[in-house]
Structure formats: structure tokens, C-alpha cells
Amino acid sequence: MTKAVNKSNRTNNTNRKTEFWQKLPIHIAILTIAFIWTLPSLGLFISSLRPRGDMLSTGWWTVFWHPLEITQFYLGNYGDVLRSSGMGEAFLNSLTIAVPATVIPIAIATFAAYAFAWMTFPGRQLLFILVVCLLVVPLQTTLIPVLRVYAQLGLAGTFLGVWLAHTAYGLPLGIYLLRNYIGALPKDLIEAAAVDGASHLKIFTKLIVPLSMPAIASFAVFQFLWVWNDLLVALVYLGGTADVAPVTIQLSNLVGSRGQDWYLLTAGAFISMIVPLMVFFGLQRYFVRGILAGSVKS
Amino acid sequence: CQGPGVNGDEDRKQVTILGVMIGEQQEKIEQALAPFTEATGIEVVYEGVDTFATTLPIRVDSGRAPDLAMFPQPGLMADFAREGKLVPLGEILTPEEMTEAYDQAWLDLAAVDGTVYGVWYRASVKSLVWFNPQEFAANGYEVPGTWEEMMALSQRLIDKGKTPWCLGIESGNATGWVGTDWVEDIMLRTASPATYDQWVAHDIPFNDRRVENALDIFGEITQNEKMIYGGKVGALSTPFGDSILGLFTDPPHCYLHRQGNFIAAFLPADVDDDQVDIFPLPPIEEEYGLPILVAGDIFAMFNDTPEARQLMAYLASSRPHEVAATLGAYISPHKNIDLNLYPDRLTRKQAEILNKAEVIRFDASDMMPGAVGTGTFWSGMVDYIGGADGTQVLNTIERSWPR
């Protein structure tokens, strides 16, 4: 008995060992790529903790030559950015823009994706092709015509105007992504629900939305990041005055007319990164659940 | 003509301004505008954007022009004036009031096809050479009064194994403008102001022999690896704001640096007042004297409202200029500004150089069509400093001039 256990343990161990050696190249490759990928961010982060003079005279990697010297690190850049007037208001503005500009397109895109995937109506494919075509329209070409309409409707300079603009710019990608995901859901499931007498609305709310959480969450992250990092759309439709300017405009103004305070951007980048990171980690559990869903038969 | 502002705010009198000044500069201009609001009760909403040249046309084309715009160069203003979007200054001020406020040279710069449209707010003086007087005193160098003396000093420094010049032209997607300033400055010193104007207006080709002559003189500095700290590679890769720092290292990387007054914003905090001084870039040909290359910010009016008119008149008065002068890092193009208002010695000296100048000319690249002025002229300078042949560089720029 004990012998058998020992033996199986040993084979287990050797199995694990060979597996480890087999996978080692992959692991090394992944780690190397991950390292190269993060290197610029790391450099930026270390730079944000150094005074301007140091940034100019030596590279950020030099901190590793004497890493224990705490005095070489400096929080002044973060202090300067946070203390700059209007930063708190800019964060509020950014949230005011980004939250509705993420929620509205998700809602519309999910409905539309369901309709394109599971409802039969004439011209469905044509409409879908049209939506996909919109993906290649550069948004810059729409700025002046849309702003003209906004000026007549009194929407220019209002948050509603920016929400609608971001919604429209985000929808083509959202519908495309979600339609492909929702279209790949098992047909039997939806037919069974229909046979049981579920209406389209019921199928949508009880089946499609819960099953599509991973796709919805990834689109939410995309859309939120895009809106959060946007400078152009906000600047054109809202303007850059302090009462409406988002963080991006505030940060770009921080460097001064001649760009003389460029070094503040290092700290500014990390401060503006906090919110998208929170959104990402907040939605991460949905990705994981989505990947695991259906992997094990219970 | 569209109504000002959005409905419902009609009883609140306000003027909107779109400008290029952001950050600290924005706070200063808001302070300079504060007396206007105090006196009239009209609210001034200033919006500063660093993407001014793209934002303003979008706003204007979509019918949401600001009441006033502060242009960083007269070229863009001229475009709008020719489209009939701007209100001529003559409808607000009499010619006497204008000449009382500004020298004719500045009024000429504010005019488009003979009609004055703008009110100058800020001037930049570009023809300045920065140096460290302590180093000059310690080594017995003298401030050069002519180009020959300046080049002799440079040679003397090279003979001693030192590097005379710091030059950095890197400036992101605007890399090269430092080089264009150099060529313009030399052009002004080797050709008549009329020739300079012809060059700007493309009445003489860009590859004219006089332009080539100016480029060759610039080349005496850039094409000699010993002249510039870091050589060609150093000049091309050093950010323009950092290159001046070489004056203050120990031992100094270089002894001379040509740059406009705005470079003061990049001076390190630990540089003492007696470590930095300026002299005007010396004359080359005696007959053309000491001309000064300038740049500046100019206000012009899009929406003809009573409030906007009042603000334009206020901007042409000496009051906002005086307030801004006391706040520092600012030179006024206004005639009636007491030099003693400037808070520091260097700014006072720059204003004095500007006032004394008999010939002032605006930065040529700012006045040329965008394809050249912010395009091939910049990239041409990068090529030239990188070692390309001067004649070819000028031919390329000439070919790119829009027809």
C-alpha cells in the first residue's frame, strides 16, 4: 500500500519534473516578453519618483546601482500634480464623462448584438455590414459636421453631447465584438428557451446577458479606457475650461506653454492611470468566470 | 452671425477667449484681465489649449467661434481675416489710438492686406545670446559686439580645447524650429528687411542666393563638430529646453547659447542671477544694423458684441500690459510700458533691446504657409544640421512651397 503510494508519488514527481522542463522555454519566453513589455512603464514609474535634474542627467536605471538610497526618490512630482489647481474637479469631470459614455454604448451594443445574432428580420446582414463599415470611418472627419449640429441643438459644451459622441464612436466596435460572441452561444440553449415560451426580452435578460459577461466586461474596459484617455473629443465638444475639462486636458495644460514642465507628466500619467486600473481589476473576476464557465461538467 | 453664448445666459455679460497660454501663463493672463472685470462687471472666460491651431478652426467652422482668440502667430489670424471672419480693429479704435499704443512696426505685423485686425499682447525677443558672465570674467572673454568678434571668440575657445556653443533643436513634432530661428536671424543681418519680407511672401524663391548665404553662415557653426557641444548628434537629439543647461555645468559644456527670451522658463532653479546674462545676436553686415527677430501673441475679435469690443479696447490700453509686466516672464509690445515695471534685470534688458531695435521682423516660419513654415523648413533644418547639402535642402523646401 505505502509502496504503491510512494511509487505513484514518484511517477507524479517525475511527471511534474519533465513537464516543468518541457514548459520551461515557454515560461522563459513569456517572462521575457512580459518583462520587455513592462519595461517602459517601469522606467516611467521610476522617473516619476525622481527630481527633474536627475531625470535630465542620468537614466532611470541608474537607481539600481544603489537601490537602498531612499533619498534619491522624490515625491515632489506627485505633489505638484495633485496640488495643481483644478485637478480634483478634472477627476470629477472625467468620471462624469466616462461612466455614462461607457454604460450607454454597452446597453445599446448588447441589445443590437442580440438582434443581429438571433432575431430574423429583413436586411439584417446588410445592416450589420454597414455597422462594420463604420469601424473604418476616422472620427476626426465627423468633428466639424457633428459640432455644427450640436451648436444648433444647443448640445455643444454639454456633457450630454460628449456622451452621445462617445457612444456613437464606440458602438461599431461594441456591436461587432458582442455580436460575434453572442452569435457563438449554443443555439440549442436559445431554442430551448424559446420553446419554453420565453420572449426575446426574457431570453436577453436571463440568458444572453449573464452568458455574455466576459465579452461585455472586455468591451467595458476598452470603452472606458478609450473615453478616459480621450483628449480630442472632449476638447472639441466640451471645451477646455476648468468647469468641464477632464484629466487629460488638465494634464496636457500642466506642462506649460513651452512644455517646460514636461517632467510632471511622468507623475501625471500614473495618477490618471489609477482609475482605469481600478476598473480593470474590478471587472477582472468576470473575465475569469467567463473563461471557466462551462469548462467543467457538474 | 450667431447669438453669443447659449440661451438663458443672456443677462450674464461675458466674453469668451480661446488662447494658447496654459498653466502658469494662463494664471498670469487671468490676473491681467481681472481689472477689466472689476471695472465693467463683464465676466471673461479664458480657455487655454495647447492644440490651439487645430481647435480654433474646428470651433470656427462649426459656428462656435470664441468671441476673441489669442493667436500665437499672425499667419493663422491672416487666414481668418481673409475669410472675413474677423472684425477689423479700425471699427473699435481710431488710427490715432492705435499709433498711441503701438509702434508702426507692430501695427504692420498686425495688419492683413493693409487692415489692422489684432491687438498685440505679448512679445518674444528671439535674437538673444545667453552666456554665463562669471565664466566670461574668469577667463577674460568679452561680450562680442560684431559677428566677427563672436566667431573669433568661438575659435579662441576651440583652440583652448573648449566647446563654444550649445545647440539643441529637438522639440517633439516641432523639431527643427530652433534652426529656422537661426537662419531667420542671420537672414535679417545679411539682407535688407525688404528682402526678408519678400522671402516670407515667396516673392523671391526659397533657394535664393541670399537665403543660401544665410544658411552657409549658419553652417559655419553647425557643420563644425568642434563648435557645438555633442556635435551634430548632440544638436539633433538634445531637447531645445535642455541645451541651455550646458552653460551652468562645472566645467561648462559650452559658453554661448542663442535662444529667445522664453528659455528663461527652463533655467534651473539653482542658477543665480549673476550667473546668467544676455547680449543681442550681433550684426553681420554693418549696413543692416542690429535687427531683432520677434514672435508674439495677438488678440483678434470673431464675434462683434459690445462686451468683446470693450475687452479689445482694454487690451490695447496699457493697463493689462502693466499688470502682466509686473508678474514677470513677459515682455510687452506696448509703447507706454515703464521698463521699471519688469521685476528682474534680464527681462528689463530684453525689453530694452526690443525698444531700441530699429528693425523688427516676425519669425518667418510662423508667417509662411504651414506646409513650409511648420513643415519642410523645420525638417530641412534637421537635414542640414545632420549633414545634408545646403543647396539641396533649400531646393527641397522651394519645391514644397504650395502653389
Side-chain angles (χ1 to χ4, degrees):
Chain A
M1 184 73 187
T2 43
K3 232 179 190 175
V5 171
N6 271 348
K7 202 181 175 187
S8 80
N9 262 355
R10 203 175 301 144
T11 46
N12 249 351
N13 272 346
T14 43
N15 270 349
R16 234 176 256 163
K17 260 183 195 159
T18 47
E19 204 180 285
F20 175 80
W21 286 110
Q22 272 167 357
K23 284 195 174 166
L24 191 65
I26 298 174
H27 285 157
I28 291 177
I30 290 175
L31 283 178
T32 318
I33 292 171
F35 177 73
I36 294 173
W37 211 259
T38 8
L39 200 61
S41 310
L42 182 72
L44 190 70
F45 181 66
I46 293 175
S47 289
S48 75
L49 291 170
R50 308 176 77 209
R52 175 176 183 244
D54 287 6
M55 280 194 233
L56 279 176
S57 51
T58 53
W60 56 268
W61 52 89
T62 51
V63 298
F64 293 115
W65 296 346
H66 33 71
L68 292 177
E69 242 177 75
I70 290 299
T71 47
Q72 68 182 324
F73 296 111
Y74 166 79
L75 286 174
N77 297 335
Y78 286 90
D80 286 352
V81 173
L82 290 174
R83 269 199 307 275
S84 71
S85 62
M87 207 59 200
E89 207 180 351
F91 259 93
L92 274 183
N93 288 336
S94 270
L95 282 176
T96 314
I97 295 168
V99 172
T102 311
V103 173
I104 300 172
I106 287 177
I108 299 177
T110 327
F111 278 119
Y114 174 72
F116 279 128
W118 295 109
M119 287 166 80
T120 41
F121 54 90
R124 183 174 69 154
Q125 288 306 326
L126 197 74
L127 267 178
F128 185 63
I129 289 171
L130 215 72
V131 170
V132 174
C133 285
L134 283 178
L135 276 174
V136 297
V137 177
L139 75 89
Q140 287 85 346
T141 60
T142 66
L143 294 178
I144 291 177
V146 172
L147 191 57
R148 243 183 223 170
V149 175
Y150 273 12
Q152 275 166 14
L153 296 176
L155 279 176
T158 65
F159 283 116
L160 180 62
V162 190
W163 296 338
L164 290 179
H166 276 306
T167 303
Y169 295 142
L171 269 182
L173 180 70
I175 294 174
Y176 176 70
L177 272 182
L178 290 174
R179 196 219 87 106
N180 288 350
Y181 189 90
I182 291 174
L185 292 175
K187 199 178 178 189
D188 300 348
L189 207 63
I190 287 141
E191 277 174 356
V195 167
D196 284 349
S199 64
H200 274 308
L201 187 67
K202 193 128 203 177
I203 294 175
F204 180 77
T205 50
K206 297 282 175 200
L207 272 179
I208 303 292
V209 173
L211 285 176
S212 314
M213 260 318 166
I216 293 176
S218 22
F219 176 57
V221 170
F222 270 131
Q223 178 70 8
F224 187 87
L225 274 183
W226 150 247
V227 175
W228 186 267
N229 288 334
D230 160 75
L231 178 118
L232 181 70
V233 174
L235 190 61
V236 170
Y237 296 131
L238 263 184
T241 47
D243 53 332
V244 291
V247 173
T248 44
I249 295 181
Q250 184 72 23
L251 282 181
S252 82
N253 285 356
L254 208 62
V255 300
S257 304
R258 303 269 171 196
Q260 65 271 34
D261 294 332
W262 51 268
Y263 56 95
L264 291 179
L265 283 184
T266 53
F270 280 93
I271 288 172
S272 84
M273 223 183 269
I274 295 172
V275 176
L277 278 181
M278 288 191 324
V279 170
F280 180 79
F281 287 116
L283 291 177
Q284 201 190 22
R285 61 200 187 97
Y286 292 104
F287 297 128
V288 177
R289 192 187 287 167
I291 293 161
L292 292 179
S295 63
V296 186
K297 255 201 177 135
S298 53
Chain B
C1 174
Q2 74 275 349
V6 188
N7 301 338
D9 273 356
E10 271 166 13
D11 51 329
R12 214 170 87 223
K13 294 199 239 162
Q14 65 168 30
V15 186
T16 55
I17 303 176
L18 188 73
V20 269
M21 292 184 182
I22 52 176
E24 196 193 347
Q25 290 288 343
Q26 172 165 353
E27 284 161 29
K28 285 179 181 170
I29 190 168
E30 280 166 354
Q31 285 186 50
L33 295 172
F36 173 75
T37 308
E38 271 167 36
T40 60
I42 298 169
E43 191 194 359
V44 180
V45 182
Y46 176 86
E47 179 183 346
V49 288
D50 69 343
T51 52
F52 179 84
T54 45
T55 305
L56 182 67
I58 292 176
R59 295 265 175 94
V60 174
D61 285 349
S62 52
R64 271 174 52 74
D67 294 330
L68 264 57
M70 180 172 51
F71 294 88
Q73 71 273 78
L76 189 60
M77 185 189 82
D79 291 345
F80 284 114
R82 293 200 180 100
E83 287 172 28
K85 303 256 162 115
L86 296 175
V87 182
L89 191 61
E91 294 189 13
I92 304 160
L93 299 177
T94 63
E96 292 74 41
E97 283 171 323
M98 287 188 220
T99 45
E100 231 165 71
Y102 294 97
D103 276 328
Q104 193 56 42
W106 283 102
L107 288 177
D108 290 344
L109 289 174
V112 182
D113 307 328
T115 314
V116 178
Y117 281 92
V119 168
W120 287 102
Y121 174 70
R122 180 173 66 167
S124 307
V125 180
K126 295 207 164 196
S127 314
L128 300 174
V129 180
W130 299 73
F131 67 101
N132 183 341
Q134 287 181 351
E135 287 295 331
F136 267 52
N139 293 294
Y141 306 142
E142 272 174 32
V143 172
T146 66
W147 190 272
E148 276 162 24
E149 283 174 29
M150 190 173 77
M151 294 313 282
L153 173 64
S154 302
Q155 195 54 50
R156 203 173 135 199
L157 284 161
I158 291 176
D159 293 343
K160 281 194 186 171
K162 294 173 175 174
T163 313
W165 291 92
C166 271
L167 174 67
I169 68 161
E170 194 279 332
S171 179
N173 56 4
T175 299
W177 64 261
V178 180
T180 67
D181 280 8
W182 265 97
V183 173
E184 289 152 12
D185 245 337
I186 298 171
M187 187 71 189
L188 272 178
R189 281 159 179 72
T190 53
S192 70
T195 311
Y196 184 88
D197 294 340
Q198 286 173 329
W199 175 50
V200 170
H202 205 228
D203 291 337
I204 60 170
F206 205 103
N207 48 4
D208 188 89
R209 62 181 168 76
R210 285 160 292 194
V211 187
E212 189 162 359
N213 176 40
L215 193 62
D216 286 343
I217 294 176
F218 182 38
E220 284 169 23
I221 293 173
T222 64
Q223 304 299 301
N224 184 342
E225 290 274 341
K226 287 181 180 160
M227 278 280 185
I228 316 168
Y229 180 69
K232 285 174 188 169
V233 176
L236 290 175
S237 58
T238 309
F240 77 96
D242 298 343
S243 53
I244 193 172
L245 305 181
L247 294 176
F248 311 109
T249 49
D250 186 30
H253 291 159
C254 60
Y255 293 82
L256 299 160
H257 178 70
R258 188 218 150 275
Q259 189 53 280
N261 62 300
F262 45 80
I263 201 68
F266 291 85
L267 288 176
D270 56 355
V271 168
D272 295 331
D273 189 46
D274 51 358
Q275 270 182 299
V276 51
D277 207 349
I278 45 172
F279 61 86
L281 189 72
I284 300 177
E285 307 278 350
E286 216 173 302
E287 54 181 311
Y288 302 123
L290 184 60
I292 296 296
L293 187 71
V294 297
D297 302 284
I298 184 167
F299 277 98
M301 186 166 98
F302 279 99
N303 301 330
D304 195 354
T305 66
E307 292 83 14
R309 277 169 174 260
Q310 272 175 277
L311 184 56
M312 283 295 274
Y314 170 75
L315 286 165
S317 72
S318 53
R319 182 86 175 111
H321 298 259
E322 284 165 2
V323 176
T326 54
L327 295 174
Y330 163 92
I331 303 171
S332 173
H334 203 278
K335 239 185 192 176
N336 311 318
I337 304 302
D338 184 358
L339 285 182
N340 292 319
L341 285 176
Y342 293 108
D344 56 282
R345 177 180 56 88
L346 280 181
T347 320
R348 213 171 298 141
K349 201 163 176 177
Q350 291 155 3
E352 223 178 318
I353 291 173
L354 181 65
N355 287 354
K356 268 194 209 154
E358 282 173 17
V359 172
I360 62 165
R361 279 297 178 272
F362 207 88
D363 190 323
S365 59
D366 283 341
M367 316 265 281
M368 291 172 176
V372 177
T374 58
T376 50
F377 198 0
W378 284 351
S379 56
M381 287 305 107
V382 176
D383 295 343
Y384 183 67
I385 292 171
D389 175 57
T391 319
Q392 271 176 20
V393 166
L394 293 181
N395 289 344
T396 310
I397 301 175
E398 169 61 22
R399 274 199 302 277
S400 72
W401 197 288
R403 278 154 226 278

